[in-house]
């Protein structure tokens, strides 16, 4: 019996995939915008056609989320993204300014490494394939092992769509033997030009430390503030609909609800009316000990699970009609488990004396976890929006909308995306929703408009070592000094 080393096989597979991807990308680089757009259109249509089947596969394999919501995410990642990017100019010359004698060209980065999480496996693969090919690149996926089969099937759908449109299937490929060594080799491969990292914090950190340029996203831990002028019923509906969408697996979903003391009773009553269950102190402590692991990270057993499943695992009994579990929290950081990101229908609940204290509290939550990501506010007062928008450390501040869907551009006019940049404050290379424009370099063609002697002639004069771009006479300097002395003497 011959034994095979899985790690070695996976590394060899990576090398072969990257080599094929590089050849396919070089072939694509000779195509025009029309050719690229034909491939992108084919991928998008295939994603929509297979949305239901791929959603069922993802749910059955991972156990995460809700199949119907995964269908919506697949359609969003296909049609929604396509509708936004289809008319973008991404190949060749992007602009020309004849007056300034300046041209701008898009240059594909080449081969991209795409890390795919288990929470949104099929939709993320569709989305990353679309934006990568649109920008003229090839992409090699590193799949989460717990979602391998549904990701491989999604890639199969994409490759078939490429072939049907006359493209090279190797523009999109996927590791079939997922190991840590394979992912590490992919990220550090000399022919990989960029990493699109979506996944856990450890994986994103590994991407940034690989030595290859990377676009990664930090954790989401967005609070939702219900301000006193809000339409309370609508605000609660949006929050609960958002938190239960695919069982909370979208990182932009709300992680806590915050209101002032004067609003607490009304908010709690409305949340309960719409299906929220508030834990008592004993239940709060019991679930709190379960949702985080000993090292302070989220327990993967709660991710994407419904409330009854989570309650059973934690040894709790909750009403059958419960949509979201809510726990009162009185602090932020270690020892306060509900202040962390919870990719499940679980919310922390905070109160403060006024909107100023609410803002300070939300800043504290985000600086603990989730800085640069997303914050949502429900209010009719634009002055409150202005106050928070100047102070909250996020890239997306969402007003009167469901945070999960608003953050990805579903219910807002943000760019539709499943990779949400967190900016420098969140350790990300961009603060935008990531699209094709982040996956190509700009090449500037600049014509000379001045000679060196002209530049020298325009330089400021520096008599007696003092430079100025205007002529200043000795008389004018004396006059200024005289005025200053007179003012000082008058004092």
């Amino acid at each position: 019996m011959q034994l095979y080393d899985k790690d070695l096989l996976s590394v060899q597979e990576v090398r072969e995939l990257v080599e094929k991807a590089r050849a396919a990308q070089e072939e694509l680089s000779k195509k025009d915008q029309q050719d690229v757009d034909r491939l992108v259109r084919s991928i998008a249509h295939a994603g929509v056609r297979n949305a239901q089947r791929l959603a069922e596969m993802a749910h059955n394999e991972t156990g995460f989320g809700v199949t119907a919501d995964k269908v919506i995410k697949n359609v969003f990642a296909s049609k929604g993204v396509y509708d936004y990017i289809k008319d973008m100019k991404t190949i060749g010359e992007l602009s020309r300014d004849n007056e300034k004698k300046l041209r701008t060209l898009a240059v594909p980065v080449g081969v991209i490494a795409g890390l795919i999480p288990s929470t949104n496996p099929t939709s993320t693969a569709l989305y990353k394939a679309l934006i990568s090919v649109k920008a003229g690149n090839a992409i090699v996926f590193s799949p989460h092992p717990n979602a391998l089969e549904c990701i491989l099937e999604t890639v199969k759908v994409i490759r078939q769509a490429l072939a049907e449109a006359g493209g090279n299937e190797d523009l999109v490929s996927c590791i079939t033997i997922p190991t840590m060594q394979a992912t590490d080799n992919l990220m550090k491969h000399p022919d990989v030009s960029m990493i699109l990292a979506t996944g856990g914090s450890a994986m994103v950190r590994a991407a940034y430390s690989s030595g290859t340029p990377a676009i990664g996203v930090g954790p989401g831990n967005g609070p939702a503030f219900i301000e006193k002028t809000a339409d309370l019923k609508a605000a609660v509906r949006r929050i609960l609909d958002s938190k239960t969408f695919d069982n909370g697996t979208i990182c932009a979903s709300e992680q806590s609800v915050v209101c002032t003391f004067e609003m607490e009773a009304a908010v709690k009553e409305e949340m309960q009316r719409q299906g929220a269950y508030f834990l008592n102190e004993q239940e709060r402590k019991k679930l709190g000990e379960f949702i985080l692991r000993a090292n302070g990270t989220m327990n993967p057993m709660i991710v994407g699970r419904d409330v009854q499943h989570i309650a059973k695992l934690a040894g709790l009994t909750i009403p059958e009609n419960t949509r979201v579990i809510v726990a009162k929290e009185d602090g932020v950081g270690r020892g306060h488990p509900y202040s962390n990101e919870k990719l499940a229908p679980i919310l922390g609940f905070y109160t403060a004396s006024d909107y100023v204290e609410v803002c300070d509290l939300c800043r504290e939550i985000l600086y603990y976890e989730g800085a640069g990501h997303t914050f949502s506010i429900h209010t009719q007062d634009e002055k409150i929006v202005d106050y928070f928008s100047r102070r909250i450390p996020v890239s997306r501040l969402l007003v009167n909308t469901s945070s999960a869907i608003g953050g990805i551009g579903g219910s807002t006019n943000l760019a539709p995306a499943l990779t949400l940049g967190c900016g420098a404050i969140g350790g990300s290379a961009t603060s935008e929703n990531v699209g094709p424009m982040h996956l190509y370099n700009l090449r500037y063609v600049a014509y000379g408009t001045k000679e060196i002697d002209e530049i020298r002639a325009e330089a400021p004069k520096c008599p007696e070592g003092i430079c100025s771009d205007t002529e200043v006479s000795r008389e004018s300097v004396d006059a200024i000094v005289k005025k200053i002395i007179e003012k000082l003497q008058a004092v």
Side-chain angles (χ1 to χ4, degrees):
M1 180 179 178
Q2 188 173 7
L3 298 178
Y4 295 95
D5 187 309
K6 182 179 178 182
D7 293 339
L8 288 177
L9 286 173
S10 66
V11 170
Q12 181 59 35
E13 181 185 31
V14 166
R15 292 171 180 167
E16 294 172 357
L17 290 175
V18 172
E19 183 179 358
K20 291 179 180 178
R22 181 183 178 185
Q25 193 279 323
E26 289 178 353
E27 178 185 329
L28 184 65
S29 68
K30 298 177 177 63
K31 306 292 185 181
D32 60 20
Q33 187 75 64
Q34 187 177 1
D35 294 326
V36 170
D37 289 348
R38 184 171 60 251
L39 301 181
V40 171
R41 182 169 57 250
S42 185
I43 294 171
H45 290 171
V48 173
R49 288 197 307 271
N50 291 275
Q52 177 74 37
R53 183 172 65 87
L54 295 176
E56 291 171 355
M57 287 188 68
H59 178 71
N60 292 338
E61 184 175 3
T62 65
F64 296 163
V66 179
T67 299
D69 293 342
K70 289 190 179 298
V71 174
I72 294 172
K73 287 201 292 190
N74 286 340
V75 173
F76 170 82
S78 302
K79 185 180 185 301
V81 172
Y82 173 72
D83 286 345
Y84 186 83
I85 69 174
K86 64 181 180 179
D87 295 324
M88 282 185 183
K89 176 68 173 169
T90 58
I91 304 298
E93 186 173 280
L94 302 183
S95 65
R96 179 188 292 249
D97 189 325
N98 291 326
E99 183 178 346
K100 293 182 178 179
K101 293 187 175 182
L102 189 66
R103 297 163 56 199
T104 308
L105 283 72
V107 182
V109 298
V111 178
I112 295 172
L115 311 187
I116 307 296
S118 57
T119 47
N120 308 297
T122 56
S123 53
T124 302
L126 288 163
Y127 151 71
K128 288 187 175 180
L130 277 173
I131 64 173
S132 296
V133 175
K134 176 68 175 180
N137 304 297
I139 187 165
V140 178
F141 290 130
S142 175
H144 193 290
N146 294 342
L148 176 62
E149 296 306 317
C150 65
I151 295 171
L152 287 175
E153 184 61 25
T154 305
V155 172
K156 181 180 177 181
V157 167
I158 295 169
R159 287 170 64 88
Q160 183 176 340
L162 286 168
E164 290 173 353
N168 190 324
E169 294 181 6
D170 292 329
L171 285 170
V172 180
S173 56
C174 184
I175 296 169
T176 64
I177 311 171
T179 65
M180 290 298 293
Q181 288 76 10
T183 301
D184 185 65
N185 189 268
L186 176 63
M187 292 192 298
K188 295 178 179 178
H189 196 289
D191 287 334
V192 168
S193 302
M194 180 177 283
I195 303 169
L196 273 181
T198 307
S201 296
M203 184 60 71
V204 173
R205 284 195 300 270
Y208 276 115
S209 63
S210 67
T212 302
I215 297 177
V217 295
N221 191 29
F225 174 34
I226 302 179
E227 196 263 338
K228 63 182 180 181
T229 64
D231 181 334
L232 181 56
K233 183 177 179 180
V236 170
R237 184 189 73 246
R238 291 167 183 147
I239 292 170
L240 297 194
D241 285 350
S242 177
K243 194 57 177 169
T244 54
F245 185 83
D246 207 27
N247 284 340
T249 53
I250 295 179
C251 56
S253 62
E254 298 86 346
Q255 303 300 320
S256 54
V257 172
V258 190
C259 65
T260 56
F261 295 142
E262 65 176 318
M263 290 288 292
E264 180 176 4
V267 170
K268 185 175 180 180
E269 181 182 354
E270 184 60 33
M271 290 181 71
Q272 289 173 323
R273 193 186 70 78
Q274 294 195 35
Y277 177 72
F278 281 73
L279 302 175
N280 61 37
E281 183 57 30
Q282 183 179 1
E283 293 169 329
R284 187 186 77 86
K285 184 177 180 181
K286 195 169 187 178
L287 181 62
E289 293 172 347
F290 180 75
I291 62 177
L292 295 184
R293 294 183 289 193
N295 63 0
T297 61
M298 182 169 39
N299 185 345
M301 295 178 71
I302 71 167
V303 175
R305 303 292 181 172
D306 62 53
V307 291
Q308 292 298 336
H309 184 91
I310 294 169
K312 185 177 180 180
L313 289 175
L316 301 177
T317 301
I318 62 176
E320 284 297 323
N321 63 345
T322 299
R323 298 179 64 200
V324 174
I325 297 171
V326 185
K328 185 71 181 289
E329 185 56 271
D330 58 5
V332 178
R334 296 296 292 267
H336 300 280
Y338 299 100
S339 67
N340 286 71
E341 181 184 41
K342 305 163 289 295
L343 297 181
I346 302 171
L347 287 167
F349 187 77
Y350 289 92
T351 52
S353 61
D354 56 24
Y355 73 88
V356 174
E357 284 195 8
V358 167
C359 187
D360 291 341
L361 172 61
C362 292
R363 283 167 55 86
E364 184 181 1
I365 293 170
L366 288 161
Y367 278 123
Y368 169 59
E369 185 177 56
H373 208 288
T374 305
F375 168 80
S376 61
I377 184 170
H378 300 266
T379 181
Q380 301 301 319
D381 189 340
E382 282 301 315
K383 291 182 180 178
I384 293 292
V385 175
D386 289 342
Y387 183 88
F388 277 78
S389 65
R390 294 174 185 273
R391 293 167 175 81
I392 292 292
V394 294
S395 301
R396 281 155 291 276
L397 192 148
L398 309 173
V399 184
N400 297 332
T401 189
S402 295
S403 190
I405 306 303
I408 64 174
S411 61
T412 64
N413 286 317
L414 292 172
L418 293 175
T419 297
L420 310 181
C422 297
I425 195 170
S428 180
T430 180
S431 56
E432 297 182 294
N433 287 13
V434 177
M437 56 284 191
H438 299 98
L439 305 183
Y440 56 73
N441 293 315
L442 295 176
R443 177 175 296 151
Y444 296 95
V445 180
Y447 293 78
T449 58
K450 292 182 180 180
E451 298 297 337
I452 291 180
D453 57 354
E454 293 179 80
I455 296 172
R456 284 176 176 154
E458 294 171 354
K461 304 299 184 286
C462 304
E464 300 182 18
I466 301 175
C467 297
S468 173
D469 57 357
T470 59
E471 291 293 335
V472 181
S473 66
R474 171 63 64 182
E475 290 75 16
S476 62
V477 171
D478 290 342
I480 293 171
V481 172
K482 183 178 179 181
K483 287 183 180 179
I484 293 173
I485 292 173
E486 289 175 349
K487 286 184 178 180
L488 290 173
Q489 289 174 338
V491 173

